[in-house]
Amino acid sequence: VQLQASGGGLVQTGGSLRLSCAASGRAFSGYNIGWFCQAPGKEREFVAAITATSTTYYADSVKGRFTISRDNAKNTVSLQMNSLKPEDTAVYYCAARSLAVVTTARYKYWGQGTLVTVSS
């Protein structure tokens, strides 16, 4: 499985971005998908996840602001990011096929990351 993350960019505080994760491979619909972020000098952190049955999970810091969704027909998972804050600035990675609890960074496949920068 290959993952391609896109949609990052520069946005002002309070703005919105929509990240997309496009996947190759027929087994995509059976995979849990996660989004993680990593800011400079920090560990990779959980942002959101969606299971194969479309149950969603969110980090406390993004609840009510971010929405994860999936379109199995298009092999894509999206992360709608609203009310962005400077502390959301990071490289965002999508990951597929969790090997443990979906909120941990134990996934078999990882995308290359897309940079989100929120200016104050």
Side-chain angles (χ1 to χ4, degrees):
V1 174
Q2 292 186 326
L3 303 175
Q4 180 74 36
S6 62
L10 174 63
V11 65
Q12 292 186 333
T13 296
S16 297
L17 283 173
R18 186 175 182 88
L19 305 185
S20 291
C21 179
S24 64
R26 298 184 205 174
F28 174 82
S29 63
Y31 291 159
N32 299 330
I33 306 294
W35 282 97
F36 292 78
C37 69
Q38 188 166 18
K42 292 190 175 182
E43 303 254 329
R44 192 166 295 189
E45 296 180 345
F46 169 72
V47 177
I50 186 164
T51 69
T53 56
S54 294
T55 299
T56 57
Y57 299 85
Y58 296 95
D60 288 342
S61 59
V62 307
K63 280 180 183 175
R65 299 190 298 124
F66 292 8
T67 302
I68 189 170
S69 60
R70 67 190 301 159
D71 184 339
N72 290 332
K74 296 182 179 179
N75 274 16
T76 59
V77 169
S78 297
L79 184 68
Q80 178 66 41
M81 309 165 68
N82 298 329
S83 303
L84 282 162
K85 305 174 182 180
E87 50 264 43
D88 295 321
T89 295
V91 177
Y92 283 73
Y93 299 88
C94 62
R97 192 176 177 186
S98 59
L99 303 175
V101 176
V102 296
T103 57
T104 62
R106 292 190 62 200
Y107 282 74
K108 186 173 178 65
Y109 306 108
W110 288 86
Q112 86 290 358
T114 185
L115 177 62
V116 171
T117 304
V118 184
S119 63
S120 56

PDB file of all heavy atoms in Angstrom, residues 32-55:
ATOM      1  N   ASN A  32      -7.844   0.445   9.182  1.00  0.00           N
ATOM      2  CA  ASN A  32      -7.965   1.648   9.989  1.00  0.00           C
ATOM      3  C   ASN A  32      -6.965   2.675   9.452  1.00  0.00           C
ATOM      4  O   ASN A  32      -5.853   2.319   9.060  1.00  0.00           O
ATOM      5  CB  ASN A  32      -7.635   1.344  11.448  1.00  0.00           C
ATOM      6  CG  ASN A  32      -8.584   0.324  12.050  1.00  0.00           C
ATOM      7  OD1 ASN A  32      -9.740   0.233  11.649  1.00  0.00           O
ATOM      8  ND2 ASN A  32      -8.102  -0.442  13.001  1.00  0.00           N
ATOM      9  N   ILE A  33      -7.352   3.927   9.439  1.00  0.00           N
ATOM     10  CA  ILE A  33      -6.506   5.007   8.925  1.00  0.00           C
ATOM     11  C   ILE A  33      -6.330   6.047  10.013  1.00  0.00           C
ATOM     12  O   ILE A  33      -7.300   6.427  10.690  1.00  0.00           O
ATOM     13  CB  ILE A  33      -7.139   5.678   7.695  1.00  0.00           C
ATOM     14  CG1 ILE A  33      -7.488   4.647   6.629  1.00  0.00           C
ATOM     15  CG2 ILE A  33      -6.209   6.764   7.144  1.00  0.00           C
ATOM     16  CD1 ILE A  33      -6.312   3.957   6.001  1.00  0.00           C
ATOM     17  N   GLY A  34      -5.113   6.513  10.172  1.00  0.00           N
ATOM     18  CA  GLY A  34      -4.843   7.532  11.181  1.00  0.00           C
ATOM     19  C   GLY A  34      -4.127   8.728  10.594  1.00  0.00           C
ATOM     20  O   GLY A  34      -3.441   8.620   9.578  1.00  0.00           O
ATOM     21  N   TRP A  35      -4.321   9.860  11.233  1.00  0.00           N
ATOM     22  CA  TRP A  35      -3.540  11.068  10.948  1.00  0.00           C
ATOM     23  C   TRP A  35      -2.727  11.390  12.192  1.00  0.00           C
ATOM     24  O   TRP A  35      -3.246  11.370  13.313  1.00  0.00           O
ATOM     25  CB  TRP A  35      -4.442  12.248  10.623  1.00  0.00           C
ATOM     26  CG  TRP A  35      -5.020  12.254   9.250  1.00  0.00           C
ATOM     27  CD1 TRP A  35      -6.252  11.824   8.878  1.00  0.00           C
ATOM     28  CD2 TRP A  35      -4.388  12.719   8.053  1.00  0.00           C
ATOM     29  NE1 TRP A  35      -6.430  11.992   7.533  1.00  0.00           N
ATOM     30  CE2 TRP A  35      -5.293  12.553   6.995  1.00  0.00           C
ATOM     31  CE3 TRP A  35      -3.135  13.275   7.761  1.00  0.00           C
ATOM     32  CZ2 TRP A  35      -5.009  12.903   5.681  1.00  0.00           C
ATOM     33  CZ3 TRP A  35      -2.841  13.624   6.459  1.00  0.00           C
ATOM     34  CH2 TRP A  35      -3.766  13.440   5.422  1.00  0.00           C
ATOM     35  N   PHE A  36      -1.465  11.690  11.964  1.00  0.00           N
ATOM     36  CA  PHE A  36      -0.553  12.077  13.036  1.00  0.00           C
ATOM     37  C   PHE A  36       0.153  13.363  12.629  1.00  0.00           C
ATOM     38  O   PHE A  36       0.227  13.679  11.444  1.00  0.00           O
ATOM     39  CB  PHE A  36       0.468  10.973  13.294  1.00  0.00           C
ATOM     40  CG  PHE A  36      -0.136   9.729  13.870  1.00  0.00           C
ATOM     41  CD1 PHE A  36      -0.817   8.826  13.059  1.00  0.00           C
ATOM     42  CD2 PHE A  36      -0.056   9.465  15.225  1.00  0.00           C
ATOM     43  CE1 PHE A  36      -1.403   7.684  13.592  1.00  0.00           C
ATOM     44  CE2 PHE A  36      -0.632   8.332  15.769  1.00  0.00           C
ATOM     45  CZ  PHE A  36      -1.295   7.436  14.948  1.00  0.00           C
ATOM     46  N   CYS A  37       0.652  14.097  13.590  1.00  0.00           N
ATOM     47  CA  CYS A  37       1.398  15.302  13.268  1.00  0.00           C
ATOM     48  C   CYS A  37       2.696  15.331  14.063  1.00  0.00           C
ATOM     49  O   CYS A  37       2.804  14.724  15.136  1.00  0.00           O
ATOM     50  CB  CYS A  37       0.573  16.560  13.541  1.00  0.00           C
ATOM     51  SG  CYS A  37       0.263  16.913  15.267  1.00  0.00           S
ATOM     52  N   GLN A  38       3.661  16.006  13.495  1.00  0.00           N
ATOM     53  CA  GLN A  38       4.956  16.148  14.160  1.00  0.00           C
ATOM     54  C   GLN A  38       5.483  17.559  13.957  1.00  0.00           C
ATOM     55  O   GLN A  38       5.741  17.977  12.826  1.00  0.00           O
ATOM     56  CB  GLN A  38       5.962  15.129  13.639  1.00  0.00           C
ATOM     57  CG  GLN A  38       7.259  15.088  14.421  1.00  0.00           C
ATOM     58  CD  GLN A  38       8.093  13.865  14.102  1.00  0.00           C
ATOM     59  OE1 GLN A  38       7.910  13.204  13.088  1.00  0.00           O
ATOM     60  NE2 GLN A  38       9.021  13.550  14.999  1.00  0.00           N
ATOM     61  N   ALA A  39       5.583  18.284  15.043  1.00  0.00           N
ATOM     62  CA  ALA A  39       6.138  19.631  15.008  1.00  0.00           C
ATOM     63  C   ALA A  39       7.647  19.548  15.220  1.00  0.00           C
ATOM     64  O   ALA A  39       8.137  18.567  15.786  1.00  0.00           O
ATOM     65  CB  ALA A  39       5.494  20.484  16.097  1.00  0.00           C
ATOM     66  N   PRO A  40       8.382  20.563  14.797  1.00  0.00           N
ATOM     67  CA  PRO A  40       9.838  20.538  14.974  1.00  0.00           C
ATOM     68  C   PRO A  40      10.236  20.309  16.420  1.00  0.00           C
ATOM     69  O   PRO A  40       9.732  20.982  17.330  1.00  0.00           O
ATOM     70  CB  PRO A  40      10.264  21.931  14.494  1.00  0.00           C
ATOM     71  CG  PRO A  40       9.205  22.332  13.540  1.00  0.00           C
ATOM     72  CD  PRO A  40       7.928  21.762  14.088  1.00  0.00           C
ATOM     73  N   GLY A  41      11.119  19.341  16.641  1.00  0.00           N
ATOM     74  CA  GLY A  41      11.617  19.070  17.979  1.00  0.00           C
ATOM     75  C   GLY A  41      10.665  18.302  18.877  1.00  0.00           C
ATOM     76  O   GLY A  41      10.951  18.117  20.063  1.00  0.00           O
ATOM     77  N   LYS A  42       9.539  17.863  18.302  1.00  0.00           N
ATOM     78  CA  LYS A  42       8.558  17.145  19.119  1.00  0.00           C
ATOM     79  C   LYS A  42       8.344  15.733  18.586  1.00  0.00           C
ATOM     80  O   LYS A  42       8.681  15.412  17.444  1.00  0.00           O
ATOM     81  CB  LYS A  42       7.229  17.906  19.133  1.00  0.00           C
ATOM     82  CG  LYS A  42       7.284  19.230  19.870  1.00  0.00           C
ATOM     83  CD  LYS A  42       5.895  19.797  20.058  1.00  0.00           C
ATOM     84  CE  LYS A  42       5.919  21.056  20.902  1.00  0.00           C
ATOM     85  NZ  LYS A  42       4.554  21.594  21.145  1.00  0.00           N
ATOM     86  N   GLU A  43       7.735  14.936  19.428  1.00  0.00           N
ATOM     87  CA  GLU A  43       7.392  13.570  19.023  1.00  0.00           C
ATOM     88  C   GLU A  43       6.179  13.596  18.088  1.00  0.00           C
ATOM     89  O   GLU A  43       5.398  14.551  18.098  1.00  0.00           O
ATOM     90  CB  GLU A  43       7.043  12.750  20.268  1.00  0.00           C
ATOM     91  CG  GLU A  43       8.121  12.706  21.317  1.00  0.00           C
ATOM     92  CD  GLU A  43       8.804  11.355  21.346  1.00  0.00           C
ATOM     93  OE1 GLU A  43       8.158  10.355  21.048  1.00  0.00           O
ATOM     94  OE2 GLU A  43      10.005  11.328  21.681  1.00  0.00           O
ATOM     95  N   ARG A  44       6.035  12.537  17.319  1.00  0.00           N
ATOM     96  CA  ARG A  44       4.852  12.402  16.478  1.00  0.00           C
ATOM     97  C   ARG A  44       3.642  12.164  17.389  1.00  0.00           C
ATOM     98  O   ARG A  44       3.692  11.350  18.305  1.00  0.00           O
ATOM     99  CB  ARG A  44       5.028  11.234  15.507  1.00  0.00           C
ATOM    100  CG  ARG A  44       4.006  11.184  14.408  1.00  0.00           C
ATOM    101  CD  ARG A  44       4.416  10.238  13.317  1.00  0.00           C
ATOM    102  NE  ARG A  44       5.614  10.697  12.624  1.00  0.00           N
ATOM    103  CZ  ARG A  44       6.090  10.140  11.513  1.00  0.00           C
ATOM    104  NH1 ARG A  44       5.462   9.090  10.976  1.00  0.00           N
ATOM    105  NH2 ARG A  44       7.176  10.605  10.945  1.00  0.00           N
ATOM    106  N   GLU A  45       2.560  12.898  17.101  1.00  0.00           N
ATOM    107  CA  GLU A  45       1.380  12.844  17.956  1.00  0.00           C
ATOM    108  C   GLU A  45       0.151  12.406  17.168  1.00  0.00           C
ATOM    109  O   GLU A  45      -0.001  12.739  15.985  1.00  0.00           O
ATOM    110  CB  GLU A  45       1.100  14.230  18.565  1.00  0.00           C
ATOM    111  CG  GLU A  45       2.176  14.753  19.486  1.00  0.00           C
ATOM    112  CD  GLU A  45       1.810  16.130  20.042  1.00  0.00           C
ATOM    113  OE1 GLU A  45       0.893  16.768  19.505  1.00  0.00           O
ATOM    114  OE2 GLU A  45       2.478  16.558  20.999  1.00  0.00           O
ATOM    115  N   PHE A  46      -0.738  11.741  17.860  1.00  0.00           N
ATOM    116  CA  PHE A  46      -2.008  11.330  17.271  1.00  0.00           C
ATOM    117  C   PHE A  46      -2.906  12.546  17.058  1.00  0.00           C
ATOM    118  O   PHE A  46      -2.993  13.426  17.919  1.00  0.00           O
ATOM    119  CB  PHE A  46      -2.696  10.331  18.194  1.00  0.00           C
ATOM    120  CG  PHE A  46      -4.113  10.031  17.815  1.00  0.00           C
ATOM    121  CD1 PHE A  46      -4.404   9.265  16.703  1.00  0.00           C
ATOM    122  CD2 PHE A  46      -5.165  10.533  18.577  1.00  0.00           C
ATOM    123  CE1 PHE A  46      -5.706   8.999  16.349  1.00  0.00           C
ATOM    124  CE2 PHE A  46      -6.472  10.266  18.228  1.00  0.00           C
ATOM    125  CZ  PHE A  46      -6.749   9.498  17.113  1.00  0.00           C
ATOM    126  N   VAL A  47      -3.580  12.571  15.913  1.00  0.00           N
ATOM    127  CA  VAL A  47      -4.544  13.641  15.617  1.00  0.00           C
ATOM    128  C   VAL A  47      -5.953  13.066  15.508  1.00  0.00           C
ATOM    129  O   VAL A  47      -6.865  13.493  16.216  1.00  0.00           O
ATOM    130  CB  VAL A  47      -4.182  14.354  14.302  1.00  0.00           C
ATOM    131  CG1 VAL A  47      -5.238  15.411  13.957  1.00  0.00           C
ATOM    132  CG2 VAL A  47      -2.804  14.996  14.404  1.00  0.00           C
ATOM    133  N   ALA A  48      -6.134  12.114  14.620  1.00  0.00           N
ATOM    134  CA  ALA A  48      -7.457  11.539  14.388  1.00  0.00           C
ATOM    135  C   ALA A  48      -7.306  10.185  13.718  1.00  0.00           C
ATOM    136  O   ALA A  48      -6.289   9.908  13.091  1.00  0.00           O
ATOM    137  CB  ALA A  48      -8.309  12.464  13.520  1.00  0.00           C
ATOM    138  N   ALA A  49      -8.333   9.369  13.861  1.00  0.00           N
ATOM    139  CA  ALA A  49      -8.327   8.065  13.204  1.00  0.00           C
ATOM    140  C   ALA A  49      -9.743   7.679  12.846  1.00  0.00           C
ATOM    141  O   ALA A  49     -10.712   8.123  13.480  1.00  0.00           O
ATOM    142  CB  ALA A  49      -7.695   7.001  14.102  1.00  0.00           C
ATOM    143  N   ILE A  50      -9.851   6.845  11.822  1.00  0.00           N
ATOM    144  CA  ILE A  50     -11.144   6.309  11.409  1.00  0.00           C
ATOM    145  C   ILE A  50     -10.950   4.831  11.142  1.00  0.00           C
ATOM    146  O   ILE A  50     -10.022   4.427  10.441  1.00  0.00           O
ATOM    147  CB  ILE A  50     -11.708   7.066  10.192  1.00  0.00           C
ATOM    148  CG1 ILE A  50     -13.123   6.599   9.870  1.00  0.00           C
ATOM    149  CG2 ILE A  50     -10.786   6.963   8.972  1.00  0.00           C
ATOM    150  CD1 ILE A  50     -13.878   7.545   8.938  1.00  0.00           C
ATOM    151  N   THR A  51     -11.813   4.025  11.727  1.00  0.00           N
ATOM    152  CA  THR A  51     -11.680   2.584  11.557  1.00  0.00           C
ATOM    153  C   THR A  51     -12.320   2.121  10.256  1.00  0.00           C
ATOM    154  O   THR A  51     -12.964   2.900   9.542  1.00  0.00           O
ATOM    155  CB  THR A  51     -12.345   1.845  12.726  1.00  0.00           C
ATOM    156  OG1 THR A  51     -13.768   2.032  12.639  1.00  0.00           O
ATOM    157  CG2 THR A  51     -11.840   2.340  14.065  1.00  0.00           C
ATOM    158  N   ALA A  52     -12.170   0.832   9.985  1.00  0.00           N
ATOM    159  CA  ALA A  52     -12.775   0.250   8.780  1.00  0.00           C
ATOM    160  C   ALA A  52     -14.292   0.347   8.820  1.00  0.00           C
ATOM    161  O   ALA A  52     -14.950   0.371   7.775  1.00  0.00           O
ATOM    162  CB  ALA A  52     -12.335  -1.202   8.634  1.00  0.00           C
ATOM    163  N   THR A  53     -14.856   0.423  10.009  1.00  0.00           N
ATOM    164  CA  THR A  53     -16.308   0.556  10.162  1.00  0.00           C
ATOM    165  C   THR A  53     -16.730   2.000  10.399  1.00  0.00           C
ATOM    166  O   THR A  53     -17.855   2.265  10.793  1.00  0.00           O
ATOM    167  CB  THR A  53     -16.801  -0.314  11.332  1.00  0.00           C
ATOM    168  OG1 THR A  53     -16.081   0.060  12.512  1.00  0.00           O
ATOM    169  CG2 THR A  53     -16.577  -1.788  11.055  1.00  0.00           C
ATOM    170  N   SER A  54     -15.779   2.929  10.144  1.00  0.00           N
ATOM    171  CA  SER A  54     -16.022   4.383  10.216  1.00  0.00           C
ATOM    172  C   SER A  54     -16.252   4.927  11.618  1.00  0.00           C
ATOM    173  O   SER A  54     -16.828   6.011  11.769  1.00  0.00           O
ATOM    174  CB  SER A  54     -17.162   4.804   9.283  1.00  0.00           C
ATOM    175  OG  SER A  54     -16.779   4.596   7.935  1.00  0.00           O
ATOM    176  N   THR A  55     -15.810   4.210  12.630  1.00  0.00           N
ATOM    177  CA  THR A  55     -15.753   4.800  13.968  1.00  0.00           C
ATOM    178  C   THR A  55     -14.594   5.789  13.988  1.00  0.00           C
ATOM    179  O   THR A  55     -13.515   5.489  13.467  1.00  0.00           O
ATOM    180  CB  THR A  55     -15.537   3.712  15.030  1.00  0.00           C
ATOM    181  OG1 THR A  55     -16.638   2.801  14.985  1.00  0.00           O
ATOM    182  CG2 THR A  55     -15.450   4.326  16.421  1.00  0.00           C
TER     183      THR A  55
END
